[in-house]
């Protein structure tokens, strides 16, 4: 007999699909209202009817495809090397003092490409998944797992948006916006005819009216959301990093992962242009390590007694942990010329994911 708690969890998981079901019903109704009632039953010009139906179906297919990919792409788990071994778990559980636990975690992390820290400077560790968190990885309470490059948990797709499906999410926003704008623009003249009694008094008349209201309303909200995520892509930040900058050894740095607009874009969409507009996975890397381009510490922050920021070291000391080689697609992001920098960036890093802070001149 299954425990009572498991039934309640299953019920909650079913409820999580209600927003997805709502969107699916809206899309299905819009298809019927636009294709059947507007294009087939209302529009009399055959050329206009054919063009509208063809363009609509292209946008509809791309919209549904990207939405499906965003929903059903399973979030990627951190690689096995980030998980604690059985002996390390037992050793960590035996320690009561936080300092001793951090010593254990630092020893485990010394061979891993982990360069971000907690706000207090401690090693980022998930006590639910029992793993050292890779850079940009966060634990999602809704999914109950650590998500690589987590952006946010989206109830409208009942899934976490992260490294595995962020490109799909961006395309979903883009195609849904184009879909709504196209429906709004082509339905406008018939919406006006509704108010001027230019349409016959049939059931289609009311569907055309509500179709315009629904499409125009969704267009406004999608436009703001899509513009915000375009800004995040250009800055190479997640939604979580936009609210709280990632913390490195030298302190919080909101531009720590930014490589310039062009290369930031390719961090999400990849190098192959033929895949940019298709909902197929093309993001470079493994989601566990990312190239960094760190700026110098904030000049307004107090410096060390020697006059130098304590995080700035000589060339031989700049890497506390061994760098992990990037995949070829990631390496090209840093090797194809100089990165396009933001205005507040003074100096740049090298072509590996390790923290590299140049000496002051």
């Amino acid at each position: 007999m299954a425990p009572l708690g498991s039934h309640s969890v299953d019920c909650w998981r079913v409820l999580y699909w209600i927003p997805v079901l709502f969107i699916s019903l809206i899309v299905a109704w819009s298809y019927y209202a636009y294709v059947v009632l507007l294009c087939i039953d209302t529009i009399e010009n055959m050329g206009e009817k054919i063009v509208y139906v063809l363009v609509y179906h292209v946008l509809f297919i791309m919209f549904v495809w990207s939405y499906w990919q965003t929903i059903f792409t399973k979030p990627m788990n951190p690689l096995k090397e980030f998980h604690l071994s059985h002996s390390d778990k037992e050793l960590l559980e035996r320690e009561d003092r936080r300092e001793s636990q951090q010593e254990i975690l630092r020893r485990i992390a010394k061979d891993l490409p982990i360069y971000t820290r907690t706000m207090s400077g401690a090693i980022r560790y998930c006590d639910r998944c029992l793993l050292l968190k890779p850079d940009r990885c966060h634990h999602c309470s809704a999914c109950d797992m650590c998500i690589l490059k987590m952006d946010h948990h989206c109830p409208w797709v009942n899934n976490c948006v992260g490294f595995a499906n962020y490109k799909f999410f961006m395309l979903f926003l883009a195609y849904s916006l184009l879909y709504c704008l196209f429906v709004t623009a082509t339905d406008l003249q018939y919406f006006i005819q509704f108010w001027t009694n230019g349409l016959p008094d049939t059931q289609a008349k009311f569907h055309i009216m509500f179709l315009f209201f629904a499409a125009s309303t969704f267009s406004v909200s999608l436009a703001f959301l899509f513009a915000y995520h375009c800004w995040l892509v250009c800055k190479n930040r997640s939604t979580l990093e936009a609210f709280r900058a990632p913390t490195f050894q030298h302190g919080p740095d909101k531009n720590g992962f930014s490589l310039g607009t062009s290369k930031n874009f390719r961090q999400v969409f990849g190098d192959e242009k033929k895949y940019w507009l298709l909902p197929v996975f093309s993001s470079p890397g493994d989601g566990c390590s990312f190239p960094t381009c760190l700026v110098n510490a904030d000049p307004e922050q107090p410096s060390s007694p020697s006059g130098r920021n304590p995080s700035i070291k000589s060339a031989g000391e700049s890497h506390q942990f061994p760098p992990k080689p990037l995949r070829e697609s990631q390496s090209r992001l840093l090797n194809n010329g100089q990165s396009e920098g933001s205005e507040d960036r003074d100096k740049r890093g090298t072509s590996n994911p390790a923290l590299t802070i140049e000496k002051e001149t």
Side-chain angles (χ1 to χ4, degrees):
M1 182 176 179
L4 184 61
S6 63
H7 291 295
S8 61
V9 171
D10 291 338
C11 290
W12 279 111
R13 288 178 178 174
V14 171
L15 293 177
Y16 290 156
W17 286 99
I18 291 179
V20 177
L21 179 62
F22 173 76
I23 294 295
S24 301
L25 292 176
I26 290 291
V27 172
W29 166 79
S30 69
Y31 183 91
Y32 168 75
Y34 189 88
V35 176
V36 178
L37 299 180
L38 178 62
C39 292
I40 297 178
D41 294 346
T42 304
I43 299 177
E44 297 179 354
N45 186 295
M46 184 58 66
E48 182 181 7
K49 182 182 298 190
I50 293 174
V51 171
Y52 282 4
V53 169
L54 287 177
V55 175
Y56 175 87
H57 277 91
V58 171
L59 293 176
F60 180 80
I61 290 172
M62 299 305 295
F63 161 53
V64 173
W65 185 9
S66 58
Y67 187 49
W68 180 275
Q69 287 283 65
T70 308
I71 294 173
F72 293 103
T73 298
K74 186 178 180 180
M76 296 175 61
N77 291 318
L79 298 177
K80 185 178 179 180
E81 60 192 272
F82 291 87
H83 292 259
L84 268 62
S85 65
H86 181 71
S87 58
D88 289 330
K89 292 176 187 176
E90 291 184 341
L91 186 61
L92 195 65
E93 290 173 356
R94 287 199 299 265
E95 293 291 344
D96 297 329
R97 294 187 306 155
R98 178 178 174 82
E99 295 78 7
S100 301
Q101 292 177 342
Q102 277 296 305
E103 285 296 327
I104 297 172
L105 295 177
R106 276 192 288 268
R107 174 183 59 79
I108 301 171
K110 68 179 181 180
D111 295 324
L112 296 175
I114 299 176
Y115 306 105
T116 54
R117 299 289 185 266
T118 65
M119 294 297 292
S120 62
I123 298 292
R124 299 172 67 242
Y125 172 71
C126 179
D127 55 3
R128 292 186 63 87
C129 299
L130 299 178
L131 56 81
L132 298 176
K133 292 182 182 179
D135 294 342
R136 316 184 81 175
C137 174
H138 298 274
H139 186 89
C140 175
S141 56
C143 297
D144 195 25
M145 62 183 295
C146 283
I147 308 297
L148 295 179
K149 195 186 176 183
M150 180 178 174
D151 187 88
H152 68 288
H153 184 90
C154 181
W156 297 107
V157 299
N158 190 29
N159 198 4
C160 255
V161 177
F163 176 76
N165 62 351
Y166 189 67
K167 177 192 173 183
F168 305 148
F169 178 74
M170 287 294 298
L171 291 178
F172 158 63
L173 293 180
Y175 286 123
S176 58
L177 177 60
L178 290 175
Y179 176 84
C180 291
L181 290 175
F182 176 78
V183 171
T184 301
T186 54
D187 187 35
L188 177 60
Q189 59 177 314
Y190 302 98
F191 174 76
I192 295 175
Q193 291 180 24
F194 170 83
W195 291 105
T196 58
N197 296 321
L199 290 179
D201 194 10
T202 62
Q203 185 181 8
K205 187 175 180 179
F206 297 96
H207 282 278
I208 291 172
M209 180 189 70
F210 287 114
L211 181 64
F212 178 83
F213 276 123
S216 58
T217 302
F218 278 107
S219 296
V220 174
S221 58
L222 286 170
F224 282 105
L225 185 59
F226 180 63
Y228 174 69
H229 278 278
C230 285
W231 178 80
L232 290 178
V233 170
C234 292
K235 296 294 185 179
N236 202 348
R237 299 176 196 166
S238 65
T239 299
L240 294 177
E241 292 167 350
F243 284 98
R244 186 168 68 182
T247 302
F248 297 88
Q249 289 176 324
H250 70 285
D253 192 340
K254 62 182 180 180
N255 294 313
F257 293 107
S258 182
L259 307 173
T261 302
S262 176
K263 294 174 183 179
N264 291 342
F265 176 86
R266 281 182 279 155
Q267 278 271 287
V268 176
F269 289 87
D271 296 320
E272 298 289 338
K273 295 181 180 179
K274 61 184 179 181
Y275 296 126
W276 285 358
L277 300 180
L278 297 177
V280 294
F281 185 78
S282 58
S283 303
D286 55 14
C288 291
S289 61
F290 298 89
T292 61
C293 191
L294 298 180
V295 300
N296 285 336
D298 189 342
E300 296 181 0
Q301 292 180 350
S303 59
S304 60
S306 62
R308 295 183 58 193
N309 188 285
S311 64
I312 301 176
K313 302 179 181 181
S314 63
E317 300 174 337
S318 59
H319 301 298
Q320 180 172 347
F321 302 123
K324 179 178 181 179
L326 298 174
R327 295 184 179 183
E328 181 182 356
S329 57
Q330 272 192 310
S331 298
R332 284 199 296 269
L333 288 171
L334 293 176
N335 293 334
N336 290 340
Q338 291 185 343
S339 25
E340 303 171 22
S342 57
E343 295 180 357
D344 60 344
R345 206 190 280 122
D346 296 321
K347 299 184 186 290
R348 308 207 177 260
T350 57
S351 60
N352 62 61
L355 292 183
T356 304
I357 305 176
E358 300 181 13
K359 295 175 63 178
E360 293 182 339
T361 56

